[in-house]
Structures are given as C-alpha cells and as structure tokens.
Amino acid sequence: MESVLLKNIGKPDAHRIENYVRNGGYRALAAALKLAPEHIIQMVKDSGLRGRGGAGFSTGLKWSFIPKDPTVAKYLCCNADEGEPGTFKDRGIMDNDPHLLIEGMIISSYAIGASNAYIYIRGEFVFGARRLEAAIKEAYERGYLGGDILGSGFNLDMYVHRGFGAYICGEETALLESIEGYRAQPRKKPPFPALSGLYGKPTVINNVETLSCIPAIIEKGPEWFAGIGPAKSPGPKIYCVSGHVKKPGLYELAMGATARDIIFNHCGGMLRDDRALKAVIPGGVSAPLLTPKDLDTPLDFDSLAAKGSMLGSGAVIVMDSSTCMVKTAYIINRFFSHESCGKCTPCRDGTPWLTKILRRLEHGEGRAGDVEMLESLCDNIFGRTFCPLGDGAVMALRGALKNFREEFQYHVDHKRCMAC
Amino acid sequence: MLTENEKKELQAALKKYPNRRSAVMDALRIVQNGRGGHIVKEDMLEIASILEMQPAEVNAAATFYTMYNVNKPVGKHHIQVCRNISCSLMGAEHIIKHLERTLDIKTGQTTPDKKFTLSTVECLGSCATAPMMQINDDYYENLTDQKVDEILKNLK
Ligand SMILES: Cc1cc2nc3c(=O)[nH]c(=O)nc-3n(C[C@H](O)[C@H](O)[C@H](O)COP(=O)(O)O)c2cc1C
Ligand code: SF4
Ligand code: FES
C-alpha cells in the first residue's frame, strides 16, 4: 500500500511548510473549500473512516450530529493526548509532519462549521507542542488559517492546549474539562459533545490519526479510501509496534494486517531467535492479549472485537517466552490505578486493590485465594464504572487470567515465577 | 511574583480562550518553568488573582495533573524513567537500578547537591525506542548503562 499518513516522514525538514506544500500539501484544503460542508461530511461518511483514537466510531456520522445553525459557535478538538501505553503514532505525525494534521483540522473545521480549533497535546510532548505552534504560525502567514481562508470567506483560529500529565485527559469529556481549566474528570453523557461540548457548545473531538486521514480522502476520493483493507473498517492504519521484535517502530499498513504479518514480515521477527512468541497485546494495554493461536486475526476493529479484544489505539506490544505474565499484569494494572481520576468508587478503590494483590503475587508473597480474589474484584468493577478506564483495567487483567491462569497460580503456590 | 516576561506569556495564553480560567494550566506551567521546576502557594495565589479564580480552584488543578510539582522542589535535572510495559520488556527496571546506584539515591529522591531528581513515570509515547527517559524537556532513548553514564556526565 502506498504510504498516506507517514509519506513525508524521513524527508528532510518535512515539518516546514514550504516542503509540505512542495509535496502537494494544502491542495486538498483548496479543493475542500470549493465544496459545500455537507458534501465533505458525506464524503467522509462514504469513505468508511472510523476513529483511530480507540472506539472506532464513524467519523462522518459523528460530524453529522453537529447542529447546522450558523449562529451557534462550534469547536473542533484534536485529541493528541496519546497516553495509551504502547502508542506513539500521533507523536510521529506531530513531530515530523505537523501540517498534515493542521490541514486535516482546517478541512474538518470547515465541514462542521467550527471557527475555533484546539489541539490537546499531552504535556510531556514538549517538542511536538513547539513544532505545532511553529507550524500553526506558518499556516497563518500563508493564509491557511485566520480570516477569509484562501478567499473562501471561511475563518478559523487554531490553538495548542498543553496537558500536564494525566492519562484520563484522553477521554473526550475529561479533555474538555481540562481545556476549561478544571480537574480532568469525565462528564456525564448525554448530553454528548456534539450538542454540548467545549464551553457548552457543539464540539467534535477526533484523534490525530483520524484527522490526518482527511486530506487524502478529499484528494483521492472516498472510494479509494473505502477500497483499502476490510470493507467495514477501511483505510490506512498506523500500527505502533514495541516489545520483543527486531525492528520496533511505526508501520503504516492497510487496515487488517495480521499480527503474524506485522511481527514476522515487517518487524523482522522476534528480537531473539531462541525465544518464541508468548503473547501480543493488539491495541494498547486496555486490549486483552492474543496468544500465538490468534496470530492470523486481522488487526481491525471488528475482527478483534470478535476475538474479545480490541484495536484500540493500534499499539501492538510483543512479548516473548521470557515474559512473566504476572509482572505484565501488575505493571498494566498499576498504570490504571495510578491514572484513575477518582470520580467513581469501583475504579478509584478497585484498581489499587487489584494492584496490591498483583504486587504481592509478583513479589512472591501471594496468598491462597488471591487468584480467585482477583477474579471476584474484576466482576465487581466491570460494568460499574463511570467511564471506560475502569473497564479497560478489568478487560486487560481478565485476558491475562484467562490465558495464563496457571502462571498466576504458580506464583501463589511456589512464591516465584515459572517464566523468568 | 510573576516576572514581566511571565506576565507577557500569560497574556498570550489568555488570548487562546473565551474565558480566563482556561489559561490556568498554561499559567501553572509558566510559573513552574520559571521557578526551577516547582510551584508554591504564593504563585498559586497570584495566578488565582490574575485569572479571577478561587485559590482552591487553582490548587485543585495543580494537584490533579502529575507534572506540576506542587511544594515539591526538584533538582536541576529531573530524570523521569518510563516504567510502563514496553520499556519494562526492554529492561527499564535495570536502568532504574543503575540510576539509583550511580546517583546514590532512591527513586523519588533528589541528590544532596540538588542536581538530580529521579522519578519513574508511565508511558511517554516512545515505546519503540525503549527503554527511555525524559530529563526536563528532552527524551533519551534506547538506553543502556553506558549511555546513561554518558548522558549524566554531559549534564554535570
Ligand atoms: C481512558 C481513556 C483514554 C483515552 N485516551 C485517548 C487518547 O489518548 N487519544 C485519543 O485520541 N483518544 C483517546 N480516548 C478515546 C476518546 O475518548 C475519543 O473516543 C476519541 O478521541 C475520539 O476520536 P476518534 O473518533 O477520532 O477516535 C480515550 C478514551 C478513554 C476512555
Ligand atoms: S472509571 Fe476511573 S477514570 Fe473513569 S471516572 Fe471512574 S474513577 Fe475516573
Ligand atoms: S512504555 Fe515506555 S515509552 Fe511507552
């Protein structure tokens, strides 16, 4: 597949506007501004693009929920919080090709009628935030941002909002709270952001990778996009591969690549030839792991859902035979309890409790009944939390327990690990 | 007290938003960067008065986000090592132990000369170049003991 999202990465000074324009950048914007906004929304619907931030919701459909009333202010927020462990694709785009995102955001703002757009970038990405601020300045200077963009009469201002450390800011309503200057705790839904979002106004929140797909959809057409990968989740997809492979990194492939293809063809195989594959997390740590028997599952939204896992952010984390699954579960769960925002009891109290048990199993201090206790705690958290963070913590742990229960029990019975 | 430059930076931040409160995260960041990496009560009171917020509201924001070091001075170089899964698979624990031994402090502590603070953090979005750490604003990737030693030497 020809590269769409990472095509400029690696070219010298790809982040500078003159190079972006020389490579065909901002042509899609000029074309889009000649189309009616509804027409663009229809194109995005027809393309089949589904959100790359985790949930896989139809982007065109989401946009169509925005009220058409031109007297109401509307906002576009780009979710660049990128906190799901194992994920680093949005950073790749922002650090190296910021104008791709900015062009996508201008077209998207025009389609939904937003005159203000924010990029919510996580605080640790200092380099990326500076890159974006410099790129936004360039775009203003060339008339791609500001008043009467390219003579179309469309006005748009774009700003960078820097987070400061909190995974929950990636949840879309927590992100809005954070821009408004509050603690980032999720809001009750409904009302959905499309009707009452940022400052109570209609708002679309989309991921960096989602918005970066938009210029190509305008230029090459929705049929082209819909023809890549599986019919129900089409398009190019950036897989973020980390862990025990020879060549970890970002791989832009047609959606639906299998873990086998990614690990053994694109990434050059397992890091050490003498260690076999043990498990793969297919979509960030909230996604239940796959075992070698599932290696041929296409990594797309529906195929992974059918396996009880999810594509999530597209973070593929590869683990070899030396990996202790109890330790893995402990690290992942510790992350969730650290990031629990404290709003609801099952997550705020339940995740640290899980972490405590996992810590003692990992440290050889497990007690009889601990594995059963983990399972029962999972049952008491799942489905009872205010936002999906708590459920994500449980899904990840259940996946490990289901496939590697004997390892957990071994830690209880023998006070040590059977893998390492 | 905010310096003239910091006030100017804050005025620029205020232009991004329709209300003053939204600039609270920028304000705290500006102050923290200008004060050697941490925030004290007086700064929060001043931010509250500029942004027309209650001091408790500024404090609520400052204590929610983990990168604000409220009443917690850090060394000149704040070393934050990722401890999440991809880094752990590639040896993060070893790097953390090496740093503790080299700096002769435990995670969470600052060296007596106030040069280094050592912390562990969750995933920093640099998982293909694990193990990694951030020192102040900069990322250091594909770490080995030797590489860590060199980085530390160049920071002294
Ligand atoms: C706990 C939690 C963390 C999330 N983190 C992110 C994130 O870092 N980046 C992101 O784009 N979406 C994240 N999401 C998903 C967003 O809530 C939202 O669905 C997404 O930004 C919508 O954009 P999309 O439709 O383009 O995917 C997170 C969701 C939850 C529940
Ligand atoms: S599930 Fe966790 S993160 Fe989500 S609202 Fe409840 S406490 Fe906050
Ligand atoms: S797990 Fe360490 S940077 Fe992502």
Side-chain angles (χ1 to χ4, degrees):
Chain A
M1 194 201 72
E2 91 181 277
S3 175
V4 179
L5 300 166
L6 303 180
K7 65 176 188 293
N8 291 330
I9 294 184
K11 293 185 185 159
D13 285 334
H15 63 282
R16 308 241 315 253
I17 197 163
E18 60 270 25
N19 295 325
Y20 183 70
V21 169
R22 189 174 312 126
N23 289 321
Y26 288 109
R27 271 201 321 237
L29 173 63
L33 291 174
K34 297 201 175 81
L35 302 171
E38 308 82 72
H39 186 81
I40 299 176
I41 296 180
Q42 191 59 46
M43 284 174 82
V44 174
K45 263 192 202 163
D46 293 343
S47 76
L49 172 62
R50 296 171 65 175
R52 306 300 198 228
F57 193 80
S58 159
T59 305
L61 194 58
K62 186 189 273 190
W63 293 5
S64 71
F65 296 150
I66 294 288
K68 302 282 179 282
D69 183 353
T71 62
V72 177
K74 300 168 193 87
Y75 290 100
L76 174 71
C77 292
C78 170
N79 192 339
D81 195 53
E82 190 153 75
E84 184 70 27
T87 316
F88 47 95
K89 65 192 173 67
D90 299 342
R91 173 174 171 239
I93 293 175
M94 294 186 291
D95 283 4
N96 300 291
D97 199 8
H99 286 288
L100 178 67
L101 171 62
I102 293 170
E103 182 177 13
M105 287 182 69
I106 303 171
I107 299 170
S108 307
S109 300
Y110 173 70
I112 63 165
S115 44
N116 287 284
Y118 291 96
I119 303 173
Y120 190 105
I121 185 169
R122 61 180 293 185
E124 295 88 343
F125 289 175
V126 180
F127 182 85
R130 290 189 185 137
R131 268 278 150 94
L132 285 169
E133 278 164 356
I136 288 173
K137 189 159 168 278
E138 288 178 323
Y140 271 103
E141 284 162 7
R142 295 226 177 179
Y144 299 127
L145 280 172
D148 190 21
I149 295 171
L150 301 180
S152 65
F154 172 61
N155 308 320
L156 178 67
D157 285 309
M158 191 178 287
Y159 310 100
V160 175
H161 182 98
R162 285 157 80 163
F164 230 62
Y167 167 68
I168 193 61
C169 294
E171 194 284 329
E172 56 186 23
T173 60
L175 179 150
L176 300 177
E177 288 288 292
S178 184
I179 296 182
E180 291 188 24
Y182 298 98
R183 300 166 81 95
Q185 291 184 320
R187 294 178 183 171
K188 193 158 86 52
K189 289 192 262 191
F192 288 94
L195 296 182
S196 176
L198 189 61
Y199 306 114
K201 299 287 192 284
T203 303
V204 162
I205 299 119
N206 273 134
N207 172 258
V208 172
E209 186 186 357
T210 311
L211 293 164
S212 298
C213 288
I214 301 298
I217 292 175
I218 300 292
E219 275 225 289
K220 297 169 193 269
E223 303 75 26
W224 161 82
F225 193 92
I228 300 170
K232 292 208 165 132
S233 24
K237 173 75 195 110
I238 307 176
Y239 294 98
C240 317
V241 191
S242 65
H244 296 142
V245 291
K246 286 208 170 62
K247 291 187 290 176
L250 294 177
Y251 293 88
E252 183 186 1
L253 306 170
M255 178 76 88
T258 64
R260 185 188 305 281
D261 184 35
I262 292 174
I263 297 168
F264 294 99
N265 293 335
H266 297 283
C267 296
M270 298 301 291
L271 181 63
R272 286 181 48 164
D273 295 322
D274 58 334
R275 289 186 183 163
L277 177 75
K278 183 166 184 179
V280 187
I281 296 176
V285 297
S286 314
L289 51 82
L290 303 178
T291 54
K293 69 178 185 331
D294 294 322
L295 272 189
D296 295 308
T297 309
L299 304 191
D300 65 59
F301 294 110
D302 304 314
S303 307
L304 281 167
K307 287 272 173 202
S309 188
M310 57 186 193
L311 178 65
S313 58
V316 178
I317 305 168
V318 182
M319 293 173 264
D320 71 19
S321 55
S322 70
T323 311
C324 167
M325 298 320 282
V326 177
K327 181 174 167 193
T328 302
Y330 165 55
I331 289 172
I332 292 174
N333 199 266
R334 179 180 65 185
F335 163 75
F336 284 116
S337 71
H338 182 256
E339 299 299 337
S340 169
C341 82
K343 182 163 180 148
C344 68
T345 318
C347 170
R348 182 190 58 228
D349 294 353
T351 51
W353 195 347
L354 289 172
T355 308
K356 195 171 141 192
I357 297 172
L358 288 165
R359 180 187 296 123
R360 72 176 178 240
L361 287 179
E362 165 60 10
H363 289 168
E365 293 151 13
R367 304 173 193 162
D370 271 355
V371 179
E372 293 73 16
M373 177 70 106
L374 288 174
E375 284 166 336
S376 126
L377 278 168
C378 284
D379 294 344
N380 281 303
I381 297 170
F382 193 78
R384 291 185 169 84
T385 60
F386 189 81
C387 89
L389 185 145
D391 282 351
V394 168
M395 277 164 18
L397 180 55
R398 277 181 173 166
L401 280 168
K402 189 176 106 203
N403 289 292
F404 296 98
R405 200 175 196 284
E406 73 288 357
E407 263 188 53
F408 286 80
Q409 196 57 49
Y410 194 95
H411 273 248
V412 174
D413 297 340
H414 301 268
K415 314 285 181 216
R416 63 182 178 83
C417 181
M418 64 197 275
C420 54
Chain B
M1 283 287 284
L2 266 73
T3 65
E4 281 312 307
N5 264 345
E6 288 166 354
K7 278 187 190 149
K8 238 189 257 160
E9 228 185 303
L10 183 52
Q11 288 309 319
L14 277 164
K15 290 208 184 79
K16 301 193 289 185
Y17 308 103
N19 69 11
R20 301 181 78 78
R21 170 194 294 272
S22 287
V24 68
M25 294 186 71
D26 279 333
L28 289 163
R29 174 173 54 82
I30 291 165
V31 165
Q32 172 158 306
N33 286 349
R35 300 286 182 287
H38 76 290
I39 298 167
V40 295
K41 193 173 161 200
E42 289 68 39
D43 300 325
M44 290 197 277
L45 288 174
E46 195 182 352
I47 289 171
S49 95
I50 297 175
L51 300 183
E52 295 159 19
M53 292 168 72
Q54 296 296 327
E57 295 175 309
V58 175
N59 185 66
T63 51
F64 184 84
Y65 300 95
T66 54
M67 286 169 63
Y68 297 119
N69 301 312
V70 179
N71 296 324
K72 206 174 67 190
V74 292
K76 183 170 166 218
H77 306 289
H78 188 186
I79 304 174
Q80 311 193 67
V81 190
C82 172
R83 64 174 187 178
N84 213 299
I85 186 69
S86 309
C87 285
S88 167
L89 290 171
M90 299 304 287
E93 289 85 359
H94 179 84
I95 297 294
I96 295 164
K97 279 208 195 91
H98 181 71
L99 277 159
E100 288 186 332
R101 252 194 323 261
T102 310
L103 298 170
D104 198 18
I105 51 174
K106 291 246 173 312
T107 301
Q109 295 180 338
T110 301
T111 53
D113 61 4
K114 310 254 186 301
K115 259 191 188 141
F116 298 102
T117 298
L118 179 62
S119 307
T120 52
V121 291
E122 300 300 348
C123 176
L124 291 173
S126 193
C127 328
T129 47
M132 63 81 62
M133 63 184 175
Q134 182 171 25
I135 305 181
N136 298 348
D137 289 348
D138 300 318
Y139 278 23
Y140 297 86
E141 302 166 307
N142 292 315
L143 297 176
T144 58
D145 287 1
Q146 208 185 0
K147 209 161 160 188
V148 167
D149 294 342
E150 269 163 43
I151 293 164
L152 290 184
K153 206 168 71 205
N154 291 333
L155 284 175
K156 290 208 172 173

